[in-house]
Structures are given as structure tokens and as C-alpha cells.
């Protein structure tokens, strides 16, 4: 696939990495003893009073939504965001506990929203976790027609310590 790179799509990965490196010291100012190291796929917050730790992740389905929309495969995006978040938690040695979604589009399309939620529910059931809340936003003028954004947040319990 010639030209199938982030740079060819207009995404500057190196610039993003530099920005995040610069922001790291600022973000670490908010983190006391409860927070594990900044960065990675999920943040970890120690809960000394409970003798454990929570891992939290957030991500967007991103540009995959454009292809899914063209192919009428929106349900796959619902599944994808849940699995993506679960994988991020597993990378932090955490077991998923619950999922929260965010769906935004210029005009609510019940068929698309239903397909997205059906995909999320299917994966949540497969993982044995609840979809506990969410936000469905209609934002004309913010998103292009025929597009949407899907974001997932998942919380999990750390099942073992991992080294940074």
C-alpha cells in the first residue's frame, strides 16, 4: 500500500511525540503517590486504602470510522472501541471492570447509534463487563456530514504489578 502512512494522511507522529514529551513534566505535577508513571496505554491510580489499584484508559476509534461509514460497518466500530480499550488495560496488567462510551455526530442517526451500541454491548458481554454510562452528542457544524466520533473509556483493576 504505497502512501499508506501517517505522514501521507497528514498526521505528524514525531510532532505529537515531542508535544507529549514536553507536556509530561507539567502533567506529572498533578500526580502524587497515588499515580503510577505517566504515559503508556492506561493510567494507574493506586488505592492504598483498598490495597489495590485502578487502571483507566480512553481512546477514539479515529479514522476507522470513515471507512466503516463508507462500508456500512458501523457495528464493527462499536466492537472495536471496547476491544481497543480492553487491550490497553491488559497492557497495564489490569482486568476490565466497566466501559463508558461517547458518540458524537452532526445529526443523530438512530440506525448508526444503534449499530455502534450493539457492537459495544456484544463486546462488553463477551468480556463480562457492564456498559455503565455514556454520552450521545448531536453537534451540527462541529462534525462533517456523514461522519461521527466514537470514544471509549474503560476502568479496570490491576491484577499484578508490572515494571515501567
Amino acid at each position: 500500500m504505497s502512501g499508506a502512512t501517517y505522514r501521507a494522511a497528514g498526521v505528524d507522529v514525531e510532532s505529537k511525540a515531542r508535544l507529549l514529551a514536553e507536556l509530561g513534566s507539567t502533567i506529572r505535577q498533578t500526580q502524587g503517590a497515588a499515580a503510577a508513571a505517566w504515559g503508556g496505554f492506561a493510567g494507574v491510580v493506586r488505592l492504598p486504602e483498598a490495597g489495590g489499584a485502578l487502571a483507566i484508559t480512553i481512546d477514539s476509534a479515529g479514522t476507522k470510522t470513515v471507512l466503516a461509514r463508507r462500508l456500512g460497518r458501523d457495528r464493527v466500530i462499536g466492537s472495536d472501541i471496547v476491544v481497543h480499550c480492553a487491550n490497553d488495560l491488559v497492557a497495564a496488567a489490569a482486568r476490565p471492570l466497566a466501559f463508558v462510551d461517547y458518540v458524537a455526530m452532526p445529526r443523530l442517526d438512530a440506525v448508526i447509534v444503534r449499530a455502534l451500541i450493539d457492537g459495544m454491548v456484544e463486546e462488553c458481554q463477551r468480556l463480562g463487563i457492564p456498559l455503565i454510562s455514556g454520552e450521545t452528542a448531536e453537534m451540527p457544524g462541529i462534525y462533517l456530514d456523514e461522519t461521527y466520533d466514537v470514544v471509549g473509556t474503560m476502568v479496570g483493576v490491576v491484577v499484578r504489578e508490572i515494571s515501567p
Side-chain angles (χ1 to χ4, degrees), residues 62-70 74 77 103-109 112-113 116 137-150:
T63 56
K64 291 178 276 189
T65 61
V66 175
L67 183 58
R69 184 81 298 273
R70 286 182 190 156
D74 305 297
I77 296 300
V103 176
M105 54 187 57
R107 295 269 178 234
L108 290 183
D109 183 317
I112 294 172
V113 173
L116 293 167
E138 183 174 41
M139 298 195 293
I142 301 299
Y143 291 97
L144 299 174
D145 289 341
E146 304 300 318
T147 66
Y148 58 82
D149 193 15
V150 176

Side-chain angles (χ1 to χ4, degrees), residues 39-141:
F41 296 108
V44 176
V45 178
R46 292 182 185 89
L47 302 171
E49 63 281 357
L54 289 179
I56 305 162
T57 189
I58 185 169
D59 212 334
S60 169
T63 56
K64 291 178 276 189
T65 61
V66 175
L67 183 58
R69 184 81 298 273
R70 286 182 190 156
L71 297 174
R73 303 282 312 271
D74 305 297
R75 184 183 179 117
V76 172
I77 296 300
S79 296
D80 177 77
I81 193 62
V82 173
V83 172
H84 193 84
C85 288
N87 287 341
D88 287 353
L89 289 181
V90 169
R95 179 177 50 83
L97 292 177
F99 182 75
V100 176
D101 73 279
Y102 172 81
V103 176
M105 54 187 57
R107 295 269 178 234
L108 290 183
D109 183 317
V111 172
I112 294 172
V113 173
R114 167 62 66 187
L116 293 167
I117 298 300
D118 285 348
M120 290 176 201
V121 166
E122 178 182 336
E123 291 304 326
C124 285
Q125 288 176 328
R126 191 178 64 73
L127 290 169
I129 64 169
L131 170 57
I132 58 171
S133 184
E135 171 71 18
T136 306
E138 183 174 41
M139 298 195 293

